[in-house]
Amino acid sequence: MKTIWTTISLLLAATAITAIPATGHTADLPAATPYTKAPMVEAWNPWMIRLRVLGVIPENGGTVHQVPGSSLKTSDQVVPELDISYFFTPNLAAELILGVTKHHVTGGGTIAGLDVGKAWLLPPTLTFQYHFTQFGAFKPYIGAGVNYTWFFSQSASGVGVTNSRLKDTAAPVLQFGFDYMIDKHWGWNVDVKKMWMRPDWEGTLASGAAITGQVKLDPWLVGTGITYKF
């Protein structure tokens, strides 16, 4: 019996001795760092669209080559217009505008009153822009690019001119405008573009004589409307 108690005492003593360094080692460990969840970063979407009311205001210039002192006038027009923008960075973007417009060409100068004809225009325009981002909700921009205009559904008046055709043409473009953002998605846009567009023109008079000329459109495009940033 004495031997059993001696064995138990030795085991208890060994257990106590073993526990001493383990307890000391645990006390030396640094406190666990509290876990903090990383803040969620919203993905940046590079796409923007605008729906505008656009005023197309030509400069009313041009000439018929065979008629000294002649000039040509082109009617103004107001049309809806859609543009799509892609931002490469918060400052650099490309914009494509889409729309169609119809214009009426008449004579001026020595051919005043001559009804030359009508034509529809499809004038897609691509500009590259720099957007200023340091003014808060007010975001002005400037841009430059190129336009290419297709003329279609052309018709002559039939009185004085029996055939009328404007030739497709390219034109350089300058642009300036601004978006005023109401929130992170919706805003209001004002945009002004200047094009230097001077398509060649050819027609036929009622007498059968062929005539040629150039229409100096050089239009201002002044638009305003709604911006949506994805």
Side-chain angles (χ1 to χ4, degrees):
M1 186 69 176
K2 184 177 179 179
T3 302
I4 294 172
W5 282 110
T6 300
T7 303
I8 293 172
S9 298
L10 291 172
L11 290 172
L12 291 172
T15 302
I17 292 168
T18 305
I20 290 171
T23 303
H25 180 71
T26 302
D28 293 338
L29 289 174
T33 303
Y35 173 73
T36 304
K37 187 177 181 180
M40 184 176 293
V41 178
E42 186 176 355
W44 183 67
N45 194 307
W47 293 99
M48 173 185 282
I49 60 173
R50 300 184 185 93
L51 181 62
R52 292 188 281 236
V53 175
L54 184 68
V56 183
I57 309 169
E59 284 198 358
N60 285 330
T63 185
V64 176
H65 296 149
Q66 292 81 7
V67 183
S70 63
S71 65
L72 296 170
K73 299 180 180 180
T74 307
S75 62
D76 300 340
Q77 188 63 274
V78 177
V79 295
E81 177 259 314
L82 173 70
D83 88 58
I84 303 169
S85 296
Y86 182 87
F87 284 77
F88 303 101
T89 73
N91 298 105
L92 300 176
E95 177 194 82
L96 177 66
I97 71 166
L98 301 169
V100 293
T101 180
K102 184 179 182 180
H103 292 275
H104 188 187
V105 180
T106 58
T110 56
I111 57 171
L114 179 65
D115 191 342
V116 176
K118 300 176 181 179
W120 283 89
L121 284 67
L122 176 63
T125 302
L126 178 66
T127 61
F128 292 92
Q129 305 167 334
Y130 184 86
H131 290 251
F132 300 90
T133 57
Q134 64 267 43
F135 303 110
F138 178 67
K139 301 184 183 300
Y141 57 85
I142 56 174
V146 64
N147 159 271
Y148 193 88
T149 296
W150 285 275
F151 297 91
F152 64 98
S153 296
Q154 302 188 62
S155 62
S157 66
V159 179
V161 179
T162 58
N163 179 57
S164 177
R165 190 172 76 88
L166 290 161
K167 297 183 179 180
D168 301 343
T169 188
V173 183
L174 290 180
Q175 174 188 36
F176 60 91
F178 67 86
D179 293 291
Y180 187 87
M181 301 305 295
I182 300 167
D183 59 30
K184 66 179 182 179
H185 292 299
W186 293 97
W188 191 260
N189 175 259
V190 174
D191 184 88
V192 178
K193 296 181 179 71
K194 175 63 176 178
M195 296 182 183
W196 286 267
M197 182 192 301
R198 301 179 181 183
D200 291 328
W201 170 80
E202 60 185 20
T204 306
L205 296 177
S207 63
I211 54 175
T212 59
Q214 185 181 68
V215 182
K216 183 182 177 183
L217 296 175
D218 290 356
W220 288 93
L221 278 61
V222 182
T224 186
I226 299 170
T227 296
Y228 183 80
K229 180 75 167 67
F230 288 91

